[in-house]
Amino acid sequence: MSQTGASASQLKYDASVGTVNMKLEVIVIPVSDVDRAKEFYRKLGWRLDADFDSGKDFRVVQFTPPGSACSIIFGRNVTAAAPGSAQGLYLIVSDIEAARAELLGRGVEISEVFHDAGGVYAGPDEPYLFGRQRVRGRDPEQRSYRSFASFHDPDGNGWLLQEITTRLPGRIDPATTTFASASDLASALRRASAAHGEHEKRIGAADANWPDWYAEYMVAEQSGAKLPT
């Protein structure tokens, strides 16, 4: 049956069926020089998934950042957007200093780590999620979501590293705990170790059941639930 011939009741969404998954998997980046962009994103250490070239009229290149479920594509005749017009592209990391150091080691020009100036949206800096005035250094309270570093590709498309160690409640599936890389897992273990040290100070004794405590802490930290004490 064609959609045009379906009745209103047949087209009505049945909530009992559940929500259809819609996974964001590709973002298009407008560039002026495909080979130059390809070399830049290769230099970042991103995985090259595809480079399809039909010749004169069409080419598409796809890269995926380490640990990401979303890829980028760029090429020839894949978007009408002006080269360099993609801004505010966020890359989430668990350790902002380590991520910045890695990019510097790869020869990428990247800003100093910065945090916001209390939600100032009329400042002189490039706009981003938390304002338009950047203060040098990590967030002094070490809060998730609040420490950044920025860089641009050769066309000026703008990227932001954002440090997140603890998600706000409701932002991930609480039944699933995953880590994008061994580095992310190691960082989570170090945070759990530091918190467990404070736990042992509070109870005044060594906690032999530390594996269960670590596991509870790491699951709660990622899901945004209350952390164990």
Side-chain angles (χ1 to χ4, degrees):
M1 179 183 291
S2 69
Q3 181 171 318
T4 55
S7 66
S9 61
Q10 289 171 319
L11 292 175
K12 184 178 179 181
Y13 173 68
D14 184 355
S16 66
V17 174
T19 302
V20 176
N21 286 342
M22 297 183 184
K23 299 180 180 180
L24 179 63
E25 292 198 357
V26 174
I27 295 174
V28 180
I29 308 298
V31 305
S32 59
D33 185 322
V34 181
D35 287 322
R36 182 180 66 175
K38 181 180 178 181
E39 175 59 22
F40 176 81
Y41 287 104
R42 183 202 61 77
K43 184 171 69 173
L44 294 184
W46 295 10
R47 186 184 72 228
L48 174 62
D49 299 322
D51 185 350
F52 298 121
D53 191 347
S54 68
K56 182 178 179 180
D57 296 324
F58 177 77
R59 182 180 177 187
V60 60
V61 179
Q62 177 172 312
F63 278 93
T64 302
S68 176
C70 186
S71 304
I72 64 165
I73 64 172
F74 53 84
R76 187 186 311 115
N77 288 332
V78 297
T79 177
S85 60
Q87 300 296 321
L89 300 165
Y90 282 70
L91 295 166
I92 305 308
V93 299
S94 62
D95 186 328
I96 192 78
E97 297 285 5
R100 179 178 180 274
E102 179 179 333
L103 291 182
L104 282 173
R106 293 179 178 275
V108 177
E109 292 186 15
I110 184 169
S111 75
E112 297 286 342
V113 173
F114 65 90
H115 62 280
D116 70 288
V120 178
Y121 292 95
D125 301 318
E126 291 182 59
Y128 68 107
L129 188 61
F130 286 98
R132 197 168 176 134
Q133 185 171 325
R134 303 177 176 190
V135 180
R136 186 172 180 175
R138 296 175 77 165
D139 176 67
E141 299 176 41
Q142 305 296 304
R143 293 173 293 177
S144 276
Y145 301 94
R146 295 288 183 161
S147 297
F148 302 86
S150 64
F151 66 94
H152 297 84
D153 73 7
D155 282 284
N157 294 303
W159 293 90
L160 283 154
L161 299 182
Q162 181 183 33
E163 184 180 75
I164 299 179
T165 55
T166 303
R167 298 278 178 176
L168 291 174
R171 300 208 173 184
I172 65 168
D173 182 353
T176 303
T177 303
T178 60
F179 296 95
S181 65
S183 175
D184 280 358
L185 175 58
S187 294
L189 285 166
R190 283 192 287 270
R191 293 191 298 273
S193 176
H196 188 259
E198 295 301 315
H199 162 71
E200 289 183 322
K201 289 179 183 178
R202 284 191 292 271
I203 66 175
D207 178 12
N209 196 34
W210 62 267
D212 286 350
W213 198 98
Y214 272 41
E216 182 183 355
Y217 184 94
M218 292 164 67
V219 170
E221 181 186 59
Q222 193 171 98
S223 66
K226 183 179 179 181
L227 296 174
T229 58

